[in-house]
Amino acid sequence: MFGRVKPLDAILATAEKKSLHRSLGAFQLTMLGVGAIIGTGIFVLTAEAAQKAGPGMMISFIIAGFVCAVAALCYAEMSSMVPVSGSAYTYSYAVMGEMLAWMVGWALVLEYAVAAGAVSVGWSGYFVGLLREYLGVSLPSTIVNADALIAHIKVAFGAEQSDAIVTAMAAGGYINLPAAIIALLVTWLLVIGTKESAYINAILVMIKITALTVFVILALPVMQSHNFHPFAPLGFKGISAAAASIFFAYVGFDAVSTAAEETKNPQRNMPIGLIGSLAICTVFYILVAAGVIGSVGAQPLIDGTGHGLAPGSTELVAACSTIQNQAVVCSKEALAWTMREIGWRQIGNLIGLAAGLALPSVVLMMMFGQTRIFFVMSRDGLLPEVLSRVHPRYNTPYVVTIITGIFVAIFAALFPVGALADISNSGTLFAFAMVAIAVVVLRKTDPNRTRPFRTPAVMIVAPVAVLGCLYLFFSLSWYTLELFAGWAILGLAVYFLYSKSHSHVGRGLVEVHETDADIPPSSVPPIP
């Protein structure tokens, strides 16, 4: 398990010989991070967090933000020391061996590809709302959600035909067409080029920040204290569950590390991009959550036994229909809905417009991260090398970008946002825990290596990051954990059937720097 370790010098040498163009500075990296972080988590999943925790979701934001902060400190050290594409996968390969690195890379598929699908679905909700508010066009439900399809699947697997399921089968849809379309459009943009994508992303980030600033300015003054009571209607278990879901709102900072190989002066700029983007977003999240709760309330809908209805479930859809969706937990465009409810209808429409314009930047960053992970895994031989082909004109890994875009579009078309977000979180938390472990191990095994950024109090910060990730991981639903286990088993099968025998490290193809005369390539024996 731990025998095939790819030396850091070899990783850096590989990147030098087959690298991507370095074009991103500190500001662009920070904007990429903010672009990846601020998105569906705050614009859409606020409603899901409210359904799980009520006003207690403010504590959920703090918990998730804290876990991300300690993980970000670990990421900053690794990314400044190993400024190449690959993120947690590359770091694990250099420290803990090939098989664990493969499992981390396999888990990152859940983080990026599934997350891109979740954000696409979130964008679709705002897009549909914008068409209704501005143009008076209501798209048929058959093409804007997959509720009916999910209900039919439940029945096919033996679920009882409750009133909620019957309602979903009758009024729901079979495909989320807008979500699939935006995923494919972002794929095309990524094929064009990194620099162009980052420029457009910076513009969209400013739109998002402006929208959230306006929301906070208008919502905070009308807060009412009674909306915060009861603060935790479903107990701390609900707060933990919401924290596990809302963790999705923060994970975009990890995507910054995947741009290391395309960053100018990465030793300085990577830590700035990682920690700066996380700090900016955390402040916004706390203020926005307080604005939603205080202005319109955030109490969850419960069943007859006093338990909260599962977000995204057919039961919740039916309950919302009985109250004509007059609750923030029922909204697919939570912030725009809140503005309309407190008397700022046109501002709400503008915030919806801002989300509709800006959420694609999050899809862009999630898919950007996924393609770079696959690019590096292919470059290492663990995936077919055709995936690491770089376009002769655009200098982007176009083959893997197109393949990723197709799968993201399928995810977005067929699954609800909450389910996709939770599945994405499971892979993310696993990867974050591995990075925190890698920092500690590398401090012991290679203490003399230059570290442009050093994680402060690493023997405290890294274990806290691991424990925090485990806490949130096991706060996810058992259904999500079962899917993660199944995905991991599939990943092991792929590794032993293909990747293990094609690995460059396993075949002795470990590259080193041109000036490194101590370990010439020909002297490196195959590693069993």
Side-chain angles (χ1 to χ4, degrees), residues 300-451:
L301 299 181
I302 60 176
D303 59 22
T305 63
H307 294 93
L309 299 173
S313 66
T314 51
E315 291 76 15
L316 181 61
V317 171
C320 287
S321 65
T322 62
I323 61 171
Q324 298 182 333
N325 294 316
Q326 291 303 303
V328 71
V329 298
C330 298
S331 178
K332 293 184 178 180
E333 41 172 355
L335 303 191
W337 183 88
T338 298
M339 283 288 99
R340 296 179 191 126
E341 286 297 302
I342 63 175
W344 296 96
R345 188 171 190 84
Q346 290 305 318
I347 296 296
N349 292 342
L350 289 175
I351 288 177
L353 179 62
L357 290 173
L359 282 180
S361 70
V362 189
V363 182
L364 184 150
M365 272 310 302
M366 294 296 103
M367 291 180 61
F368 177 96
Q370 179 65 79
T371 56
R372 270 51 183 181
I373 297 293
F374 278 157
F375 175 82
V376 178
M377 294 176 76
S378 171
R379 192 168 61 184
D380 289 338
L382 299 181
L383 290 173
E385 294 193 13
V386 66
L387 299 181
S388 63
R389 286 184 182 173
V390 176
H391 197 282
R393 176 180 176 185
Y394 300 125
N395 294 317
T396 57
Y398 70 104
V399 175
V400 71
T401 299
I402 293 172
I403 294 173
T404 299
I406 292 172
F407 278 98
V408 169
I410 293 173
F411 294 149
L414 302 179
F415 295 98
V417 61
L420 290 172
D422 282 353
I423 294 169
S424 171
N425 287 347
S426 65
T428 305
L429 289 164
F430 175 77
F432 281 14
M434 290 297 102
V435 171
I437 293 172
V439 168
V440 174
V441 173
L442 200 57
R443 285 285 187 98
K444 297 294 185 181
T445 59
D446 197 355
N448 297 322
R449 181 171 290 275
T450 301
R451 289 170 168 81

Side-chain angles (χ1 to χ4, degrees), residues 44 198 233 278 305 447:
V44 180
L278 186 61
T305 63

Side-chain angles (χ1 to χ4, degrees), residues 42-61:
I42 192 65
F43 280 103
V44 180
L45 289 182
T46 301
E48 175 150 342
Q51 178 58 26
K52 290 184 176 182
M57 69 175 174
M58 289 191 68
I59 304 299
S60 302
F61 274 110

